[in-house]
Amino acid sequence: MKILVTGGAGFIGSAVVRHLIANTRHSVVNLDALTYAANLDSLKAVAKHERYAFEQADIRDSAAIRSILDKHQPDAIMHLAAESHVDRSIDGPAEFIDTNITGTYRLLEEALDYWRALTGEKKACFRFHHVSTDEVFGSLGPNDPAFTENTPYRPRSPYSASKAASDHLALAWHHTYGLPVVLSNCSNNYGPFQFPEKLIPLMIVRALAGQPLPVYGKGENVRDWLFVDDHASALISILEKGRLGESYLVGGKSEKRNIDVVETLCRLMDELVPNSPYKPHARLISYVADRPGHDHRYAIDATKLQNELGWQPSVSFEQGLRNTVVWYLDNRGWWEPLVEKHKATQRAGTGEKR
Ligand SMILES: NC(=O)c1ccc[n+]([C@@H]2O[C@H](COP(=O)([O-])OP(=O)(O)OC[C@H]3O[C@@H](n4cnc5c(N)ncnc54)[C@H](O)[C@@H]3O)[C@@H](O)[C@H]2O)c1
């Protein structure tokens, strides 16, 4: 297949693109507007590959999308482009409404026109995979069962509300117009190449500099964590084999309290940076006022994905976190310029994802 990946210069999109080039025979067209969250350095390993092409474009720009679809004639679209950081959505929701809702709407419209004009096998095999988050399901109590594909939508932040709206649009375009859509909702991702405003890279970068490690509230909010390369492999399985009109939940079987994540990171930093003047790094933990409307817990039951498509996470949280810390220690050249460039715009939040 030739797969048009939107948001392929972001954290998860770049992992998907690297995975597609390294481990499959598919070709990739990466369509990305290159917002602050994008980084073409994350794609150095594939940039010159004959099966890779890059197009700088905004999903809100219908004419640009149309001409890219005409030019590349993709067999599938995997839609990841989005504004993705909850704290930013609280400070400035407009961009989230615009990109995540209007942008997805414009992309769906162009995808529908493109798909309608296809014929034969190319039309029959076309797929639009909309990539979303578990946050659309709202907040769980400590003993509630995990989210499943049948859990009602109850988004509570501007970010999750905008993603929920885009999920509804994608499925409406399937049910109403027949566009071959498949949807997935995933838990918190972590791993290499994540922008250092999100919880795990933010804590690593701040711990290295001896800066306070801000933890919201009492640090008791619970998230499920998935190593990003495992999400990439799940997305490719869903695109290739998922049933149309269905959604699939993707999770890491790794529910953790935020404070436990940060304390584990501190222990890893103590071990992996033995000469640090800031040891023990846990001393840097500093509790800050809770995020408004902070969802207490997300948890994923990924049985459907496992039973139907045979997907399972391959990396444990402990191993994935260790790999991630080692990667940030070894790749300062990737993140140091980002920290410098975005110092002015960074918020003093915890950087907790998306
Ligand atoms: N990060 C997570 O833990 C997580 C978990 C589940 C689902 N998701 C979803 O996965 C997707 C990717 O998340 P991420 O963490 O990689 O995000 P990210 O913020 O790292 O990357 C987003 C990418 O989209 C691009 N983009 C933004 N607006 C655009 C526009 N208008 N037109 C074209 N490109 C645009 C950016 O330039 C960037 O490269 C998002 O849809 C997000 O909602 C993320």
Side-chain angles (χ1 to χ4, degrees):
M1 283 193 285
K2 184 187 271 190
I3 304 171
L4 180 85
V5 177
T6 73
F11 168 49
I12 301 171
S14 69
V16 169
V17 171
R18 292 190 304 271
H19 192 101
L20 282 168
I21 297 297
N23 304 318
T24 77
R25 297 175 60 203
H26 300 310
S27 304
V28 177
V29 179
N30 173 10
L31 184 163
D32 199 297
L34 300 184
T35 70
Y36 82 95
N39 194 340
L40 290 176
D41 283 352
S42 309
L43 293 161
K44 272 187 179 154
V46 301
K48 296 205 168 89
H49 200 284
E50 58 184 16
R51 284 186 284 117
Y52 173 79
F54 175 67
E55 297 280 358
Q56 181 168 0
D58 193 311
I59 54 166
R60 293 167 291 187
D61 182 347
S62 303
I65 302 302
R66 199 171 313 140
S67 87
I68 290 166
L69 289 171
D70 281 351
K71 175 176 165 194
H72 291 282
Q73 297 287 309
D75 302 296
I77 297 175
M78 197 187 272
H79 175 37
L80 295 103
E83 289 295 332
S84 70
H85 191 42
V86 175
D87 287 334
R88 285 183 188 256
S89 85
I90 294 170
D91 291 348
E95 197 71 16
F96 287 71
I97 307 302
D98 229 26
T99 286
N100 298 358
I101 305 179
T102 308
T104 298
Y105 157 67
R106 298 237 168 93
L107 185 67
L108 285 165
E109 282 287 70
E110 292 310 318
L112 181 62
D113 281 353
Y114 169 76
W115 172 71
R116 280 179 166 159
L118 296 176
T119 53
E121 201 182 336
K122 186 129 177 153
K123 183 168 193 175
C125 295
F126 185 80
R127 294 279 179 283
F128 184 105
H129 180 174
H130 179 67
V131 178
S132 191
T133 166
D134 61 352
E135 302 199 19
V136 296
F137 301 115
S139 183
L140 293 171
N143 301 314
D144 289 338
F147 301 136
T148 71
E149 288 75 7
N150 297 321
T151 303
Y153 275 45
R154 286 202 187 91
R156 292 162 27 109
S157 74
Y159 165 68
S160 57
S162 69
K163 289 297 292 186
S166 68
D167 293 11
H168 292 317
L169 290 175
L171 287 176
W173 259 243
H174 172 70
H175 293 296
T176 308
Y177 305 111
L179 185 69
V181 170
V182 64
L183 174 70
S184 58
N185 299 87
C186 186
S187 57
N188 274 33
N189 284 216
Y190 69 99
F193 299 105
Q194 188 169 29
F195 192 85
E197 67 182 352
K198 308 281 169 97
L199 181 69
I200 288 176
L202 182 79
M203 294 297 158
I204 298 170
V205 164
R206 292 183 71 93
L208 269 175
Q211 292 168 341
L213 306 180
V215 172
Y216 275 140
K218 294 178 180 161
E220 286 172 349
N221 302 67
V222 175
R223 301 293 182 257
D224 175 68
W225 292 92
L226 180 66
F227 193 63
V228 66
D229 291 351
D230 276 335
H231 188 195
S233 74
L235 290 176
I236 293 163
S237 293
I238 294 165
L239 179 75
E240 290 175 339
K241 300 180 287 188
R243 283 184 293 135
L244 296 181
E246 295 283 321
S247 65
Y248 293 86
L249 262 52
V250 190
K253 295 184 186 164
S254 275
E255 271 188 61
K256 308 278 172 205
R257 295 188 311 163
N258 284 347
I259 186 61
D260 296 330
V261 171
V262 176
E263 284 179 351
T264 309
L265 269 175
C266 288
R267 282 193 294 277
L268 278 168
M269 295 291 292
D270 292 348
E271 178 196 328
L272 296 168
V273 195
N275 300 326
S276 167
Y278 310 115
K279 269 172 68 179
H281 291 90
R283 272 195 317 216
L284 299 170
I285 292 174
S286 134
Y287 293 93
V288 299
D290 210 353
R291 165 193 282 163
H294 203 174
D295 289 341
H296 177 67
R297 172 175 166 245
Y298 308 133
I300 292 267
D301 177 350
T303 307
K304 178 176 173 181
L305 182 59
Q306 189 177 326
N307 288 351
E308 277 191 26
L309 306 186
W311 177 89
Q312 290 237 52
S314 69
V315 181
S316 70
F317 183 70
E318 291 63 31
Q319 189 58 50
L321 200 61
R322 178 174 287 272
N323 295 350
T324 304
V325 175
V326 169
W327 188 87
Y328 278 86
L329 295 176
D330 289 348
N331 289 277
R332 283 171 175 264
W334 182 86
W335 57 263
E336 274 176 347
L338 299 178
V339 171
E340 268 316 302
K341 201 163 126 199
H342 294 280
K343 237 177 209 162
T345 63
Q346 267 181 25
R347 197 173 177 276
T350 65
E352 193 199 5
K353 77 144 184 184
R354 309 182 317 195

